[in-house]
Amino acid sequence: MRPPDAGLRGWRGITEPLQLRARSCLPVRPFLRAPGLQHGGGCAGTPLAWQEEQGPPTSRWLVPSLMVSAWRMGRGAVPTLLLCLFCLLPSTRPQTKIPLETVKSWADAFGGELYSIVTKYSGSLLLQKKYKDVEPTLKIKEVDGLELVKKFSEQMESMLRRKVEAVERLVEAAEDADLNHEYNSSLEFDYYNSLLINEKDENDNYVELGDEFILEPNEHFNNLLVNTTYSDIQLPTNVYNKDPDILNGVYMSEALNPIFVDNFERDPTLTWQYFGSSTGFFRLYPGIKWLPDENGVISFDCRNRGWYIQAATSPKDIVIIVDVSGSMKGLRMTIAKHTIVTILDTLGENDFVNIIAYNDYVHFIEPCFKGILVQADRDNREHFKQLVDELQAKGVGTVNKALTESFKILREFRDAGQGGLCNQAIMLITDGAVEDYEAVFEKYNWPDRKVRVFTYLIGREVTFAPNVKWIACNNKGYYTQISTLADVQENVMEYLHVLSRPMVINHDHDIIWTEAYMDSALPQSEELFASQAQSLLLMTTVAMPVFSKKNETRSHGILLGVVGSDVPLRELLKLAPRYKLGVHGYAFLNTNNGYILSHPDLRPLYKEGKKLKPKPNYNSVDLSEVEWEDQDEILRTAMINGETGYLSMDVKVPVDKGKRVLFLTNDYFFTDISGTPFSLGVVLSRGHGEYILLGNTSVEEGLHDLLQPDLSLANEWIYCITDIDPDHRKLSQLEAVIRFLTGEEPDLECDEELVQEVLFDAVVTAPMEAYWTALALNMSLESEAGVEMAFLGTRAGLMRSALYVGSEKLSNRKFLTRKDKESIFTMDHFPLWYRRAAEHPPGSFIYSIVSEDDAEGGGLPKVVTVSTAVAVSVDGKMGIAAAVGVQIKLELLQRKFWAAMQQPNDTDCSALDGACPLSCQDEVLNCFLIDNNGFILISKRPAETGKFLGAVDGSVMTQLLNMGMFKKVTMYDYQAMCKIPYHHHSGARPLLSPIYAFLAAVKWLISDFLIFLLEFNMSSFWHSDNLADAKAVFHHSHKHKKHDTLQPCDTEYPVFVYEPAIKETNGLIECGDCQKMFVAQQIASSNLLLLVTDAACDCSIFPPVLLDAKEVKYILLHALGLWVKCDRMRSQKLRRRPDTCHAFHPEENAQDCGGAAELCASLTLLLLPLALLLR
């Protein structure tokens, strides 16, 4: 018995905020303690036994103590004390007393009947017996994770080496073709233009450059229509398809066609091969029909792609300086912004960047990045683009300070061994320079000229052009003048040619591998997104530069283009078979920068409306953001450094879209992939995850059982290689295995160890077919109607299933099909019902219901999936051989539940303490069936099915948490997308009103539009291609008008987990004017709980307990010196730099540094006076 004053301990927090105070004033008074569990109670958590002996605490000793506390705290505490005193007054309504014995008997009766049904119709006891019978012939082998990861790495290295050899053959052919080609400015040559092929005019004749081009669907290329005998040519809209440079390049590169075909014949696992020309055309094999976007524009430019830029240049540190003085207003500012964005698009994760804007003073457009360079990953590039869009022109330009600041940053990073440690450059974007700033360059850059300076003169004004050009030419850079938006792309690309000169002169054919990306430019990409596991949509590219080998142009260092080939990451991961990694194991790849190349938890897509789209930062997700339990980044550091080793971590693995969690101990094994910047990791879960089961059976016996109609194999697993020989591509994996075993296809290459496991499992599980069939024939239509399907899966990917109802009557037709990836074996994971059962005691069943959000068709959940693991033990080692289960209608569960939850009217109530006879149908009771994550399977109110208990009854969930029956687990998602309300940032004025917007538009139409026409390149503007390009720019600028946008963010969210050691608990919740009793009872051999609560007591003063994710906000408070947000943005994670660098070459022709743009008069001069008059 506790002493009377013990009840005061809960009162020490009465100065807390009201919400917390309300909780602490409303105690739980336990009636019955679970074994080994001590219940504390909020303000007066007094055990019922003491309460009955002594009566409720009285004011005789309680009130004086509280008044002393009130005197010490001041008058403001008095209302609070009165509230808490009110809490302690006897309830005005007596609570409904729920007999504990009754609830336990209900749980036992319901649990027993449930167990009987699911064991009978799943056949779990039979399957367990069959595996038990073969235990003497089984071997359980422990997997050596280090040996496994080394073996996988060697196989991946061999595969990737073949891709490199294919690219090397293309480079050699392209350079030889150029050496033997003489430029012909009047060349006329027809080629297959990918936009125009198979197009006809009104006379039914093929259009120019659009001859007949046979296209056929090909499974190897995701069923796209392709031509595997020939390549074709793609050009962006702003590149003229009959330009002499284009025609000569296309003609020369025809020599690549036979090499493309030969490469594909040598290595049928090759996918896309291509040559991207420095002039802008893109030769792609196999040839396809290229489709424009919704605006009729082809914006894809191969020179903007990561593989092109990385192959053409070495790593670079870039400081972009932009003039934002008053003279830059209007179109000049628009062009300048577009120029910055285009430069940013040429940077990759091996580059570093910052942007400085200058007028009367110098400022970094992101204050958090002041004085540093940041990695030019996708996150930072997108962040810079948003800030660039907000720049406003005003004041007077002072470029010398900006140049000085830029040189200082670059020197500090160079001296500190930070950044790219290779090329360094300053990009100056301005409409003029009043002097050449020789003193700045003499102090910071001469004589070594370690920093190149590239200058972009914006507008038609040429008064200051000589100074701007002098700056570039005397600092090993390049000068261009940009007068129109259409000029930006070509002029920006010039800097890449300059940076590539040293490499070209040396003829260093560096092999580069890109970060992961998805090729959304190809047709049907959206259908592709929906059909495959997200993490397997990505690819990497191997690329090499192509140089001119002509001696007369050696010092100019002419880059002809880049040759590349795509490597889908799913092809790499095929070399790490799922069956060797166990139920929860997986393989993953990351880059030298720590970014994920492939990982089963990588989610590169998000849903916008009904469309799946790549996230803005999908390929710059860091390893530490997926394996976030690695808080000291030990794993990340070792893998980036290319080390070989292993470590162990306790991890929380989210499953079922983050609604549930598995607690695992994982062993991580890792090594590098030689010849690439990649590292490979293999994860095995401790315990059964590190064992492989080996069984023996004859081919004849196994083959017989493989032919049973209820059997299937995991079609994404590689039992036999079927995607190389065209004759094998139509075969399913099961068909391929059967043909291999029967000798029908002796050329098939199969994994003999996996095939042997399949044969063994087929024999052991064969009796299940007859068992299920007999049940289906003798099934009682009344008492057990609602059992719809039985199924099993083995660790070899073998599945069997049987229907107890007609297929047309199935409540969930997607189950065990490709439309429900979570329910089948995939390259990424075992089925969810298998994974959850494996972490539950064998013989005990996991009941799963879809949450309300995921219910089919948006309605209420109708079906429950039930599964259990089948374990085998050999020499003290336990392995999971299979999982088996049934799918039943929720209606059957409900019928059995309500039948069990009542006492007959003639019940003997003499020994029961509480209401009797009792029924869950009584108005005074609420009865719930919940699972081990708190989701409701059964409730009186059907609308609550699938909901989380905390959202329905916050009071009971809060007390279950306080008592330890459930625990809250905080999870993190560093790949989330958060909705943000759109608002346009502007330093000049608040949001435009509709009237102001209208007036501004009229003003622009009258005056600035004429200036726009004058400054635009009139001679080329009238081409329809450029009109389409302008339309695309206009369309893009209006995309931001949506009210809400999604952007990448970090979130934290709760998951609630039942503590199975607590079999039962109960208590009273003080709810103001009443007490609410609840009883929770575990249902044996399941993950279910029976919860019975008092329905009459209103406990709505307790807030709901919700599962909502909350965005993690990184604070930025200058006054308090808290710079958490800035520190996070500025942090430079460990990375491994590329092995090669080509910054300078003594033979390069630095005088080839650009020239003045051509001027166009005529129409411009005619319209100029009118434009000036209107302004």
Side-chain angles (χ1 to χ4, degrees):
M1 186 188 304
R2 287 193 305 178
D5 63 335
L8 287 172
R9 291 174 187 164
W11 288 98
R12 293 177 181 169
I14 55 178
T15 57
E16 293 173 7
L18 182 59
Q19 183 178 349
L20 294 176
R21 188 165 60 241
R23 292 192 186 192
S24 59
C25 285
L26 303 173
V28 176
R29 294 183 183 157
F31 282 83
L32 181 68
R33 294 189 178 95
L37 179 71
Q38 293 297 319
H39 290 310
C43 302
T46 314
L48 183 63
W50 184 84
Q51 185 182 355
E52 287 173 343
E53 290 175 19
Q54 304 292 333
T58 65
S59 59
R60 179 173 59 83
W61 51 266
L62 179 60
V63 173
S65 301
L66 290 176
M67 293 312 293
V68 170
S69 300
W71 180 260
R72 288 174 181 166
M73 290 183 291
R75 288 179 297 175
V78 173
T80 301
L81 291 174
L82 290 176
L83 173 63
C84 286
L85 284 171
F86 177 74
C87 294
L88 291 175
L89 292 176
S91 299
T92 58
R93 187 192 64 80
Q95 81 277 0
T96 302
K97 194 165 184 181
I98 305 167
L100 311 181
E101 297 86 348
T102 301
V103 175
K104 188 173 188 316
S105 67
W106 286 351
D108 291 344
F110 176 64
E113 186 162 12
L114 216 53
Y115 182 77
S116 173
I117 292 172
V118 296
T119 51
K120 175 181 176 181
Y121 286 98
S122 68
S124 60
L125 298 178
L126 173 63
L127 188 61
Q128 182 71 62
K129 180 181 183 302
K130 291 300 176 185
Y131 271 103
K132 195 76 177 170
D133 291 344
V134 296
E135 274 185 5
T137 67
L138 264 178
K139 290 181 181 177
I140 295 185
K141 183 178 77 174
E142 191 167 351
V143 178
D144 185 331
L146 270 179
E147 284 302 311
L148 195 65
V149 76
K150 288 175 185 175
K151 179 184 175 184
F152 290 166
S153 171
E154 288 168 5
Q155 292 173 342
M156 290 179 182
E157 179 193 343
S158 175
M159 175 204 178
L160 296 177
R161 182 65 216 163
R162 293 198 300 272
K163 314 303 179 194
V164 171
E165 289 168 357
V167 168
E168 287 173 335
R169 286 192 286 271
L170 289 169
V171 169
E172 184 179 359
E175 291 184 349
D176 287 347
D178 175 70
L179 189 62
N180 299 318
H181 174 73
E182 287 189 16
Y183 186 88
N184 180 358
S185 60
S186 58
L187 177 67
E188 291 187 7
F189 172 66
D190 284 340
Y191 59 89
Y192 290 114
N193 184 304
S194 62
L195 178 67
L196 301 174
I197 53 172
N198 300 327
E199 295 288 327
K200 292 185 176 182
D201 58 21
E202 61 275 9
N203 298 320
D204 203 35
N205 297 317
Y206 288 109
V207 300
E208 190 178 17
L209 304 181
D211 209 348
E212 182 182 10
F213 195 74
I214 296 171
L215 297 170
E216 296 175 331
N218 190 303
E219 286 186 15
H220 186 65
F221 294 94
N222 296 309
N223 282 317
L224 291 176
L225 296 170
V226 300
N227 183 323
T228 54
T229 60
Y230 217 75
S231 63
D232 59 4
I233 302 295
Q234 178 270 338
L235 293 127
T237 297
N238 63 336
V239 175
Y240 179 43
N241 58 27
K242 298 295 285 281
D243 183 279
D245 288 346
I246 296 295
L247 289 176
N248 276 269
V250 172
Y251 180 80
M252 176 274 292
S253 65
E254 286 282 301
L256 297 179
N257 272 312
I259 312 301
F260 285 141
V261 175
D262 181 56
N263 279 343
F264 191 43
E265 288 175 353
R266 291 190 193 202
D267 180 6
T269 66
L270 277 173
T271 56
W272 306 103
Q273 304 172 68
Y274 40 80
F275 170 64
S277 166
S278 61
T279 57
F281 74 82
F282 180 59
R283 181 178 286 279
L284 178 65
Y285 174 87
I288 65 167
K289 172 77 172 175
W290 206 284
L291 303 174
D293 64 19
E294 64 269 20
N295 302 301
V297 172
I298 294 185
S299 57
F300 178 90
D301 190 324
C302 61
R303 297 167 298 176
N304 270 347
R305 305 297 278 183
W307 51 266
Y308 185 99
I309 294 160
Q310 288 181 49
T313 62
S314 297
K316 45 200 173 292
D317 298 340
I318 302 287
V319 178
I320 301 171
I321 303 175
V322 58
D323 183 352
V324 290
S325 62
S327 62
M328 289 286 288
K329 280 184 178 178
L331 181 60
R332 289 179 181 177
M333 196 70 228
T334 302
I335 294 172
K337 289 178 180 180
H338 189 37
T339 302
I340 297 171
V341 169
T342 306
I343 293 171
L344 288 172
D345 284 338
T346 66
L347 304 180
E349 59 184 38
N350 289 319
D351 304 319
F352 286 77
V353 67
N354 206 337
I355 302 177
I356 295 175
Y358 72 90
N359 42 28
D360 300 299
Y361 62 97
V362 171
H363 67 278
F364 292 82
I365 69 168
E366 171 50 77
C368 284
F369 296 160
K370 183 177 181 180
I372 64 166
L373 297 172
V374 295
Q375 195 169 7
D377 58 27
R378 187 179 287 262
D379 265 348
N380 284 332
R381 294 199 308 267
E382 293 302 316
H383 182 60
F384 274 131
K385 287 177 185 179
Q386 290 177 9
L387 296 172
V388 165
D389 189 48
E390 296 166 11
L391 290 174
Q392 302 290 327
K394 57 184 175 181
V396 180
T398 53
V399 71
N400 57 326
K401 291 180 182 178
L403 284 169
T404 300
E405 186 71 24
S406 302
F407 278 118
K408 284 181 178 178
I409 294 172
L410 292 169
R411 184 175 63 189
E412 286 171 9
F413 260 60
R414 188 169 63 241
D415 293 345
Q418 295 179 300
L421 291 184
C422 192
N423 289 295
Q424 290 195 320
I426 293 171
M427 310 297 207
L428 175 60
I429 301 168
T430 181
D431 62 348
V434 295
E435 57 175 295
D436 56 23
Y437 306 104
E438 182 175 350
V440 176
F441 301 118
E442 194 168 349
K443 181 177 180 180
Y444 292 102
N445 204 36
W446 296 350
D448 296 335
R449 292 174 169 82
K450 290 182 178 179
V451 179
R452 297 181 189 265
V453 181
F454 297 87
T455 55
Y456 301 89
L457 183 63
I458 306 298
R460 286 289 184 189
E461 181 61 57
V462 294
T463 306
F464 301 114
N467 286 337
V468 179
K469 180 177 179 181
W470 184 93
I471 291 171
C473 293
N474 284 276
N475 290 279
K476 292 190 174 180
Y478 201 88
Y479 157 77
T480 60
Q481 185 166 5
I482 304 177
S483 305
T484 72
L485 286 168
D487 294 338
V488 171
Q489 177 72 39
E490 294 298 320
N491 284 304
V492 165
M493 300 310 293
E494 291 294 345
Y495 98 87
L496 293 175
H497 300 153
V498 173
L499 292 186
S500 69
R501 282 177 191 162
M503 178 174 60
V504 178
I505 295 169
N506 261 344
H507 281 261
D508 291 319
H509 289 96
D510 292 341
I511 300 164
I512 67 99
W513 293 90
T514 67
E515 71 276 13
Y517 71 97
M518 57 179 66
D519 212 334
S520 53
L522 288 175
Q524 297 181 23
S525 57
E526 198 172 306
E527 290 88 334
L528 222 62
F529 291 168
S531 67
Q532 297 184 11
Q534 288 196 23
S535 61
L536 300 175
L537 286 168
L538 303 178
M539 60 182 70
T540 181
T541 291
V542 56
M544 289 176 68
V546 179
F547 311 136
S548 171
K549 296 198 289 190
K550 295 176 179 176
N551 287 329
E552 60 269 26
T553 58
R554 178 178 172 82
S555 66
H556 292 275
I558 296 176
L559 175 74
L560 298 175
V562 172
V563 160
S565 180
D566 290 343
V567 182
L569 294 175
R570 70 181 294 119
E571 295 300 319
L572 270 181
L573 291 176
K574 284 178 181 178
L575 301 175
R578 284 291 304 124
Y579 79 95
K580 292 190 175 182
L581 305 178
V583 181
H584 306 298
Y586 55 90
F588 66 94
L589 296 155
N590 68 291
T591 70
N592 58 302
N593 286 298
Y595 295 139
I596 291 295
L597 199 66
S598 179
H599 192 291
D601 290 335
L602 180 66
R603 306 190 312 276
L605 301 176
Y606 75 102
K607 209 163 190 178
E608 188 175 81
K610 293 184 178 179
K611 286 188 176 182
L612 281 170
K613 291 186 175 182
K615 294 176 182 174
N617 62 336
Y618 76 88
N619 64 353
S620 57
V621 176
D622 196 86
L623 179 61
S624 61
E625 295 175 332
V626 177
E627 299 289 351
W628 52 268
E629 305 271 12
D630 180 29
Q631 294 183 5
D632 296 326
E633 299 193 356
I634 298 170
L635 174 67
R636 183 185 187 279
T637 301
M639 293 190 72
I640 285 176
N641 289 333
E643 297 173 14
T644 298
Y646 79 98
L647 64 84
S648 295
M649 280 194 292
D650 292 327
V651 297
K652 297 184 280 287
V653 180
V655 294
D656 197 12
K657 299 180 181 177
K659 296 181 178 68
R660 311 179 193 277
V661 64
L662 301 176
F663 298 91
L664 305 173
T665 298
N666 281 347
D667 290 328
Y668 292 78
F669 304 91
F670 48 85
T671 191
D672 70 326
I673 301 176
S674 182
T676 75
F678 307 143
S679 290
L680 169 67
V682 165
V683 181
L684 303 174
S685 59
R686 190 74 61 84
H688 62 77
E690 295 185 330
Y691 298 132
I692 285 186
L693 277 63
L694 302 174
N696 257 321
T697 191
S698 68
V699 172
E700 293 77 15
E701 188 180 9
L703 190 57
H704 173 267
D705 292 326
L706 268 181
L707 295 171
Q708 291 180 349
D710 69 325
L711 185 145
S712 64
L713 295 182
N715 221 40
E716 289 189 16
W717 289 20
I718 310 300
Y719 300 84
C720 299
I721 297 172
T722 58
D723 61 347
I724 293 180
D725 187 332
D727 293 334
H728 296 157
R729 285 183 189 145
K730 299 292 183 184
L731 298 176
S732 69
Q733 284 296 319
L734 178 58
E735 291 168 340
V737 168
I738 291 170
R739 293 196 183 195
F740 169 71
L741 292 171
T742 57
E744 288 181 55
E745 296 282 352
D747 296 336
L748 270 170
E749 187 179 335
C750 298
D751 185 328
E752 294 191 15
E753 183 180 329
L754 180 54
V755 169
Q756 180 61 42
E757 288 191 25
V758 164
L759 287 173
F760 179 78
D761 285 345
V763 171
V764 176
T765 61
M768 299 299 289
E769 183 192 29
Y771 176 85
W772 288 335
T773 303
L775 278 178
L777 293 173
N778 298 302
M779 195 167 178
S780 166
L781 294 178
E782 295 175 10
S783 64
E784 289 159 6
V787 181
E788 296 192 337
M789 174 194 292
F791 57 87
L792 68 83
T794 75
R795 86 274 184 238
L798 177 148
M799 289 191 66
R800 290 183 184 271
S801 61
L803 296 182
Y804 291 123
V805 296
S807 57
E808 73 284 353
K809 294 182 180 179
L810 282 174
S811 302
N812 182 4
R813 296 183 189 181
K814 293 181 180 179
F815 188 65
L816 302 186
T817 71
R818 291 187 184 183
K819 291 182 179 179
D820 183 6
K821 290 273 188 180
E822 289 288 306
S823 69
I824 62 173
F825 292 90
T826 68
M827 278 187 71
D828 260 354
H829 52 68
F830 274 55
L832 180 59
W833 48 265
Y834 195 125
R835 297 177 71 191
R836 293 189 67 204
E839 296 310 305
H840 209 56
S844 181
F845 286 84
I846 283 279
Y847 292 75
S848 300
I849 188 169
V850 295
S851 69
E852 54 170 345
D853 300 331
D854 302 325
E856 195 172 344
L860 292 173
K862 296 178 181 177
V863 69
V864 176
T865 304
V866 190
S867 60
T868 187
V870 176
V872 290
S873 295
V874 177
D875 299 329
K877 299 174 184 173
M878 191 195 81
I880 302 295
V884 61
V886 287
Q887 196 161 80
I888 59 179
K889 270 190 171 184
L890 181 60
E891 181 189 338
L892 170 63
L893 213 62
Q894 291 168 334
R895 201 165 63 243
K896 299 295 182 183
F897 181 81
W898 297 120
M901 302 299 138
Q902 56 186 339
Q903 291 175 303
N905 291 330
D906 58 354
T907 301
D908 180 8
C909 299
S910 58
L912 293 175
D913 181 18
C916 182
L918 198 64
S919 168
C920 273
Q921 302 291 356
D922 294 345
E923 288 184 5
V924 294
L925 288 187
N926 277 331
C927 296
F928 301 96
L929 184 67
I930 63 173
D931 69 15
N932 59 322
N933 295 111
F935 290 99
I936 297 172
L937 281 80
I938 297 176
S939 167
K940 274 186 181 177
R941 293 167 289 277
E944 293 172 354
T945 306
K947 289 182 183 288
F948 177 61
L949 175 66
V952 171
D953 191 333
S955 65
V956 174
M957 193 69 215
T958 298
Q959 305 315 329
L960 292 176
L961 286 166
N962 290 342
M963 293 169 138
M965 194 169 205
F966 276 83
K967 66 178 179 180
K968 176 182 173 182
V969 180
T970 300
M971 303 289 286
Y972 296 92
D973 183 2
Y974 295 102
Q975 302 175 66
M977 296 290 287
C978 295
K979 187 178 286 188
I980 55 165
Y982 175 78
H983 62 282
H984 183 71
H985 297 283
S986 171
R989 61 173 65 94
L991 284 171
L992 295 178
S993 69
I995 296 174
Y996 188 93
F998 175 76
L999 293 175
V1002 171
K1003 180 185 174 186
W1004 184 82
L1005 283 170
I1006 294 173
S1007 60
D1008 289 51
F1009 182 66
L1010 268 179
I1011 297 296
F1012 172 75
L1013 287 177
L1014 293 174
E1015 293 196 3
F1016 210 87
N1017 186 337
M1018 300 298 294
S1019 61
S1020 62
F1021 180 74
W1022 303 119
H1023 288 296
S1024 60
D1025 288 353
N1026 285 329
L1027 279 168
D1029 194 43
K1031 181 181 176 186
V1033 171
F1034 180 82
H1035 176 78
H1036 176 75
S1037 70
H1038 284 74
K1039 281 184 179 178
H1040 62 250
K1041 286 192 173 180
K1042 292 179 181 178
H1043 292 298
D1044 290 316
T1045 56
L1046 291 171
Q1047 70 173 15
C1049 62
D1050 300 341
T1051 60
E1052 67 174 33
Y1053 61 95
V1055 177
F1056 296 90
V1057 182
Y1058 166 60
E1059 174 49 65
I1062 303 176
K1063 307 292 185 188
E1064 57 186 26
T1065 193
N1066 54 85
L1068 277 182
I1069 307 170
E1070 295 284 359
C1071 301
D1073 63 345
C1074 63
Q1075 293 177 320
K1076 179 174 184 173
M1077 185 178 180
F1078 67 91
V1079 180
Q1081 180 74 45
Q1082 186 188 70
I1083 292 175
S1085 302
S1086 77
N1087 66 322
L1088 301 176
L1089 290 166
L1090 168 60
L1091 177 65
V1092 182
T1093 73
D1094 177 0
C1097 180
D1098 180 8
C1099 253
S1100 56
I1101 57 172
F1102 277 81
V1105 179
L1106 302 176
L1107 298 175
D1108 297 345
K1110 295 179 181 177
E1111 184 178 358
V1112 178
K1113 299 285 188 180
Y1114 300 101
I1115 55 175
L1116 178 58
L1117 299 174
H1118 302 253
L1120 299 179
L1122 297 175
W1123 289 82
V1124 177
K1125 184 177 180 180
C1126 267
D1127 288 344
R1128 180 177 171 81
M1129 292 173 71
R1130 289 170 66 95
S1131 63
Q1132 303 283 335
K1133 285 183 175 287
L1134 175 73
R1135 53 187 295 276
R1136 187 171 85 240
R1137 291 176 180 82
D1139 297 328
T1140 57
C1141 169
H1142 308 281
F1144 297 101
H1145 195 284
E1147 295 180 25
E1148 73 173 280
N1149 180 11
Q1151 294 310 304
D1152 181 8
C1153 57
E1158 294 179 5
L1159 298 177
C1160 179
S1162 62
L1163 184 60
T1164 300
L1165 294 175
L1166 286 171
L1167 290 175
L1168 185 59
L1170 177 59
L1172 292 175
L1173 196 64
L1174 285 170
R1175 284 177 78 85

